[in-house]
């Protein structure tokens, strides 16, 4: 093995590569060392991810705005500074974890806030449990993780599947008995929460005397609802309930229109939440109901302050209402605020105790937490909203808020709109 | 509606959809049959066609039925450029390179789509007034029926092009025997450029039609590629009637299996059938054997 | 596309100095978790996973000439097997099968390899384009099946893994695995099996007339390559503590693998390493600067490299250093005939 004259350059290339990687790594290492973990420091630092892109991006902006408004309020109310570091999770669970890892690596984080939907919130909470940081997650109606994961740090100030079913029952009871439809159809997505919510609906409404005539599953992300629609027509479904993704919900309505199927009541939890619902469907989107945690028309517990803060920060046209996700996110900040006030500090254990023991009052209602992070049963208002004239308005329960409207029933057939 | 009517409705929906699947597959089949290239970016070109139609519809209110022609024009030029400047250089170097290059192209198109139009699902609407047609208990949804008619038109048009025009004859000659075609004075390089252009234009047309029925995201490319390939394999490479039958078969199979096995199995069944036919009879049920492997 | 050059690591171990440089590099990588943040460790670990994917896919496509587009499925199988064996309760499996994480890694690799050997004889009835698309379809089917079986896979919500082990430890295991994989791949390529593989890649018909049974060597390549991918998947799952049929078996992994191998140099041993390092730097750098443009650039690079630099960065480096002192190259010894069985 003789070295030819070019052996030297080869060697120097390898050396250079080695040196470059060392340099590269050490430059990356220039930031603070050590992992996350709140230390009860002066500034309250919050880490969060929101879906600025991906399948939940239509709500990302609203969630982010809610968080920002909430943090502003916290800064007003607390003596210490509050800052929030937000990154895009691209609606991807693995990215949630990676982004939170990055945030906690580079900042001294005291608390983590969740993203939108059970998929992304459970990803965030898994990370928080691992890091032993308090975690608040809204837009998360799935109960099973609370019961089975042994949550110690996760708290979810948001209506859960049982509350949603309760709210649906209440919504239907608004219809006078002689006009009330009885046939319930459930389109069940093939997911953990899909199954849980469908079962609650099935049980609660059957007990109430309704007839569940259809309960069919579909793949989340599938685009062809024509089979489900044909089956629903065949079974004479009058009350259609489902939890599709926002894009799925829009597609489903488009296809219902093409296939001339109009139920009398339509409730698409999560699917009908974003403003994209109206911008994509226009009048075709009217009458649809949803249960997004907070709906314009709720009163008390800082709703007025929230509304004026939104108006001054982002502006609100005459007759327009605030998107529902902003309220849900703002409520998270309120919980954080009240927990910090109760604890008197930002250290993890103090916050954990405060979260378990405090009675909270936010724009979505009054409630306490169970130890596994669920809001105590029966306490949350869980309002149902309805799309009407470009905005979402609370229809159940009957509130005194000026944005509240009467429940519009039955749905006008597509062709007549 | 009784069970029988439900099945009939599902069947009709499947057939109507199958027409578009056939158009989606036609471009892939032609390119594979004539040029021996599997365009792995085919699904993504379909996506681009869909996006062109969506953009025209949302910005100018132009019905995608017209937007389809614009999409075809755009993708025709794109396909020709692709052959002329990229594939021509590597097509004789073995099969690995075109596979990888086209895979890379798919990636580029996917990310461009994401950049320009976001990751949100987008769709268009038919944009012209019309109501569903009811034949007894069966409902023919208006958009599905119109797109089916357009799909048939495109397939017929392609067939006429290949059978009766000079260019078409030249293409078929090149497919049969490239060297012999050259000896006959046919500029085979130019033929290849045209063929890829036609293939991608058809993909774009399918995308425009599909955008009226289903939402398009930047990520639909892969599943439409597999579906198109399934149709090609079912119907036989390079055979136009075969592709039509294959498309209809796929549409019906998808819908019927979705009805009986639940939504999750729809795609599993389609791809499994595809894989099985690929293994047993790679030249398709109607195999004209237009291309090698 | 496998060249005679770069078939083994002898270029690297040719001199003591080079060997020292290689060892130094490994040492630098090993201390990453202890001198940098969790986030940086994660990035470097991702690079190691890319390297493993690249090495394994390169074995099948670069040396045995079988361009498979279904690599992500084996990555995912390994990931799920280790998830099931460390956290069986979530899938409804009996707690009795729970194993310590270390033990699950070889089992996961084995499982992936076995699946490959089972589907191999069927899928290798196809070749060329058909094989490529066939593997893509197969991978999609596996992904869809897992997605559908929500009970065992967690469906679209995914499957969380309980682990008491420190991420840093898993990082180190990953580093050891990468180095080990490189050595194993190098040994395989230079063994009889490797010769058989390369013969099949060169000319299948000619090889079979010489008594080299094509299917056998394709299966070897497929099995080993898939087992390696399974190991990479298992390590990834244990590091991130989460698997999900949509993301863990997603085609994104296939794309990343392709970028790593093409950029680095297909059919060479060091190519995937260079490609992984390059891709990692590119991806992280681009993402912080241009966000979404990152994938566009990566796709464009694949195309440009195939067109203008098909031997990848490794090839570019080689031509710049003007030939090499790799003994295999300088001797250009012909393949031994009639002896590989």
């Amino acid at each position: 093995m003789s070295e030819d004259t070019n052996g030297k350059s080869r060697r120097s290339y390898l050396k250079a590569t080695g040196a470059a990687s060392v340099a590269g790594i050490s430059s990356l290492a220039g930031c603070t060392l050590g992992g996350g973990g709140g230390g009860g420091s002066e500034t309250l630092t919050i880490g969060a991810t929101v879906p600025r892109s991906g399948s939940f991006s239509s709500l990302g902006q609203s969630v982010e705005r809610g968080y920002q408004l909430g943090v502003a309020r916290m800064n007003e109310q607390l003596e210490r500074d509050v800052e929030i570091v937000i990154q895009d999770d691209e609606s991807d669970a693995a990215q949630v974890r990676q982004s939170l890892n990055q945030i906690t690596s580079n900042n001294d984080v005291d608390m983590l806030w969740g993203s939108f939907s059970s998929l992304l919130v459970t990803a965030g909470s898994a990370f928080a449990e691992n890091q032993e940081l308090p975690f608040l997650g809204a837009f998360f109606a799935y109960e099973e993780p609370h019961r089975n994961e042994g949550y110690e740090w996760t708290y979810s100030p948001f209506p859960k599947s049982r509350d949603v079913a309760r709210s649906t029952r209440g919504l239907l009871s608004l219809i006078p008995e002689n006009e009330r439809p009885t046939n319930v159809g459930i389109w069940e997505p093939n997911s953990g929460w899909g199954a849980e919510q469908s079962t609650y609906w099935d049980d609660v409404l059957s007990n109430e005397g309704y007839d569940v005539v259809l309960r069919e599953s579909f793949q989340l992300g599938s685009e062809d609802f024509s089979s489900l629609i044909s089956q629903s027509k065949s079974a004479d479904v009058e009350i259609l309930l489902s939890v599709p993704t926002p894009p799925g919900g829009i597609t489903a309505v488009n296809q219902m229109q093409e296939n001339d199927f109009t139920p009398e009541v339509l409730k698409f939890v999560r699917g009908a939440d974003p403003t994209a619902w109206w911008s994509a469907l226009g009048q075709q989107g009217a009458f649809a109901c949803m249960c997004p945690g907070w709906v314009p028309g709720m009163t008390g517990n800082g709703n007025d302050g929230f509304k004026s803060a939104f108006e001054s920060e982002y502006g609100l046209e005459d007759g327009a209402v605030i998107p529902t996700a902003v309220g849900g996110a703002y409520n998270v900040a309120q919980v954080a605020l009240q927990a910090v006030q109760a604890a008197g500090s930002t250290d993890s254990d103090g916050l954990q105790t405060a979260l378990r023991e405090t009675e909270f009052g936010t724009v979505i209602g009054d409630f306490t937490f169970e130890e596994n992070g669920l809001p105590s049963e029966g306490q949350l208002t869980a309002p149902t909203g309805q799309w009407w004239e470009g905005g979402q308005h609370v229809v159940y329960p009957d509130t005194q808020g000026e944005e509240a409207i009467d429940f519009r029933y039955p749905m006008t057939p597509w062709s007549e709109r | 509606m009784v069970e029988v009517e439900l099945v009939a409705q599902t069947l009709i929906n499947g057939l109507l959809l199958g027409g578009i699947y056939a158009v989606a597959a036609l471009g892939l089949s032609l390119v594979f049959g004539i040029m021996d290239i599997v365009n792995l970016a085919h699904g993504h070109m379909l996506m681009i066609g869909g996006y062109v139609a969506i953009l025209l519809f949302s910005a100018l209110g132009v019905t995608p039925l017209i937007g389809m022609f614009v999409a075809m024009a755009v993708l025709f030029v794109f396909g020709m450029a692709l052959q002329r400047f990229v594939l021509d250089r590597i097509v004789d170097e073995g099969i690995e390179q075109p596979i990888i290059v086209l895979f890379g192209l798919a990636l580029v198109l996917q990310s461009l789509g994401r950049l320009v139009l976001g990751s949100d699902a987008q769709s268009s609407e038919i944009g012209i007034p019309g109501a569903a047609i009811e034949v007894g208990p069966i409902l023919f949804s208006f958009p599905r029926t119109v797109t089916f008619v357009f799909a048939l038109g495109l397939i017929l048009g392609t067939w006429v092009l290949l059978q009766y025009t000079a260019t078409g004859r030249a293409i078929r000659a090149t497919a049969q025997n490239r060297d012999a075609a050259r000896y006959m004075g046919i500029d085979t390089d130019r033929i290849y450029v045209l063929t890829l252009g036609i293939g991608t234009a058809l993909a774009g047309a399918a995308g425009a039609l599909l955008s009226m029925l289903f939402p398009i995201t930047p990520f639909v490319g892969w599943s439409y590629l597999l579906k198109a390939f399934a149709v090609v394999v079912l119907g036989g490479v390079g055979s136009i009637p075969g592709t039509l039958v294959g498309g209809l078969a796929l549409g019906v199979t998808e819908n019927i299996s979705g009805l009986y096995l639940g939504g999750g199995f729809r795609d599993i069944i389609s791809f499994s059938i595809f894989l099985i036919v690929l293994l047993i009879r790679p030249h398709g049920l109607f195999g004209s054997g237009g291309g090698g492997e | 596309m496998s060249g005679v050059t770069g078939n083994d690591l002898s270029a690297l171990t040719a001199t003591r100095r080079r060997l020292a440089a290689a060892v130094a590099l490994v040492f630098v990588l090993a201390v990453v978790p202890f001198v940098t943040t969790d986030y940086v460790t994660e990035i470097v670990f991702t690079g190691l996973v890319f390297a493993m994917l690249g090495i394994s896919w390169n074995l099948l496509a670069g040396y045995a000439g079988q361009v498979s587009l279904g690599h992500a499925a084996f990555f995912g199988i390994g990931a799920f097997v280790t998830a099931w064996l460390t956290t069986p309760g979530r899938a409804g499996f009996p707690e009795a099968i729970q194993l310590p994480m270390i033990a699950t890694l070889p089992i996961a690799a084995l499982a992936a390899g076995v699946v490959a050997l089972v589907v191999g004889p069927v899928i290798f009835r196809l070749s060329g384009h058909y094989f490529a698309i066939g593997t893509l379809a197969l991978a999609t089917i596996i992904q869809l099946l897992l997605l559908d079986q929500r009970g065992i896979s967690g469906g679209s919500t995914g499957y969380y893994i309980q682990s008491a082990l420190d991420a840093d430890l898993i990082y180190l295991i990953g580093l050891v695995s990468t180095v080990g994989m490189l050595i194993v791949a190098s040994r395989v390529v230079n063994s009889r099996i490797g010769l058989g593989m390369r013969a099949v890649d060169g000319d299948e018909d000619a090889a079979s007339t010489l008594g080299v049974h094509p299917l056998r060597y394709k299966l070897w390549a497929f099995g080993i390559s898939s087992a390696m991918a399974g190991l990479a998947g298992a390590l990834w799952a244990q590091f991130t503590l989460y698997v999900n049929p949509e993301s863990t078996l997603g085609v994104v992994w296939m794309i990343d693998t392709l970028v790593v191998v093409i950029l680095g140099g297909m059919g060479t041993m060091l190519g995937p390493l260079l490609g992984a390092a390059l891709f990692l730097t590119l991806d992280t750098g681009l993402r912080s600067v241009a966000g979404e443009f990152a994938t566009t650039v990566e796709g464009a690079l694949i195309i440009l490299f195939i067109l203008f630099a098909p031997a990848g960065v490794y090839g570019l480096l080689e031509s710049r250093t003007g030939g090499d002192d790799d003994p295999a190259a300088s001797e250009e010894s012909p393949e031994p005939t009639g002896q590989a069985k």
Side-chain angles (χ1 to χ4, degrees), chain B:
Chain B
M1 267 213 275
V2 168
E3 175 75 15
V4 171
E5 293 166 346
L6 183 56
V7 173
Q9 177 73 61
T10 312
L11 245 152
I12 295 295
N13 281 341
L15 283 173
L16 292 178
L17 183 58
I20 309 182
Y21 279 163
V23 175
L26 193 53
L28 190 65
S29 179
L30 284 178
V31 169
F32 193 21
I34 293 162
M35 299 170 61
D36 210 18
I37 288 183
V38 173
N39 184 358
L40 288 171
H42 188 82
H44 290 77
M45 293 174 182
L46 185 148
M47 180 246 321
I48 298 284
Y51 273 150
V52 169
I54 289 170
L55 272 174
L56 284 173
F57 179 71
S58 58
L60 300 172
V62 174
T63 165
L65 295 172
I66 296 185
M68 179 185 84
F69 292 104
V70 178
M72 285 174 78
V74 168
L75 280 151
F76 183 65
V77 171
F78 182 69
M80 289 203 295
L82 178 63
Q83 169 61 22
R84 177 81 173 70
F85 298 115
V86 178
L87 294 177
D88 207 27
R89 289 177 196 249
I90 55 170
V91 79
D92 284 326
E93 312 247 352
I95 38 144
E96 299 150 342
Q97 291 183 320
I99 292 177
I100 295 169
V101 162
L102 288 165
F103 205 79
L105 180 64
L107 180 60
V108 171
L109 291 175
Q110 178 173 312
S111 55
L112 279 179
R114 207 173 154 203
L115 279 168
V116 172
L117 280 133
S119 346
D120 267 356
Q122 312 242 15
S123 63
S124 61
E125 285 167 42
I126 191 155
I128 54 177
I133 307 160
E134 296 199 36
V135 176
I138 309 293
L139 188 96
F140 284 73
S141 118
F142 183 62
R144 273 206 200 208
T145 315
V146 174
T147 50
F148 180 72
V149 169
F150 268 70
L152 284 184
L154 282 168
I155 295 172
L156 192 63
T158 311
W159 185 74
V160 164
L161 177 79
L162 286 179
Q163 286 291 123
Y164 294 114
T165 65
T167 318
R169 279 195 288 271
I171 293 177
R172 281 187 294 132
T174 314
Q176 280 186 349
N177 189 326
R178 188 171 81 171
D179 292 326
R182 280 211 189 121
Y183 295 145
M184 298 289 286
I186 296 175
D187 180 353
T188 54
D189 287 339
R190 206 195 74 156
I191 292 295
Y192 279 167
V193 166
L194 272 176
T195 308
L196 195 62
I198 295 174
T200 53
L202 285 169
L209 291 174
L210 280 166
S211 74
M212 289 187 262
L213 302 179
F214 302 123
I216 308 267
T217 71
F219 313 106
V220 299
W222 305 114
S223 84
Y224 280 121
L225 170 70
L226 286 176
K227 288 188 190 187
F229 208 89
V231 172
V232 170
V233 163
L234 279 173
V237 181
S239 155
I240 296 186
T243 309
L244 179 58
V245 173
L248 295 174
L250 183 71
V252 169
T253 318
E254 269 196 355
N255 272 27
I256 296 285
S257 63
L259 183 64
Y260 285 117
L261 296 172
F265 267 84
R266 220 178 116 106
D267 282 351
I268 295 178
I269 296 289
S270 310
F271 298 149
S272 300
I273 291 181
F274 154 57
L275 204 54
I276 291 170
V277 176
L278 191 66
L279 290 166
I280 299 174
R281 253 193 88 92
H283 290 297
L285 300 171
F286 293 80
S288 69
E293 289 186 7

Side-chain angles (χ1 to χ4, degrees), chain C residues 81-94:
Chain C
V81 169
T82 184
W84 290 328
L85 290 176
T86 51
T87 320
R90 202 184 292 283
F93 294 140

Side-chain angles (χ1 to χ4, degrees), chain A residues 172-182 208 210 409:
Chain A
L172 291 172
S173 67
L174 289 177
I175 307 171
E177 211 168 326
N178 53 335
E179 295 173 27
R180 205 177 291 163
T182 54
E208 197 69 9
Y210 294 90
Y409 164 85

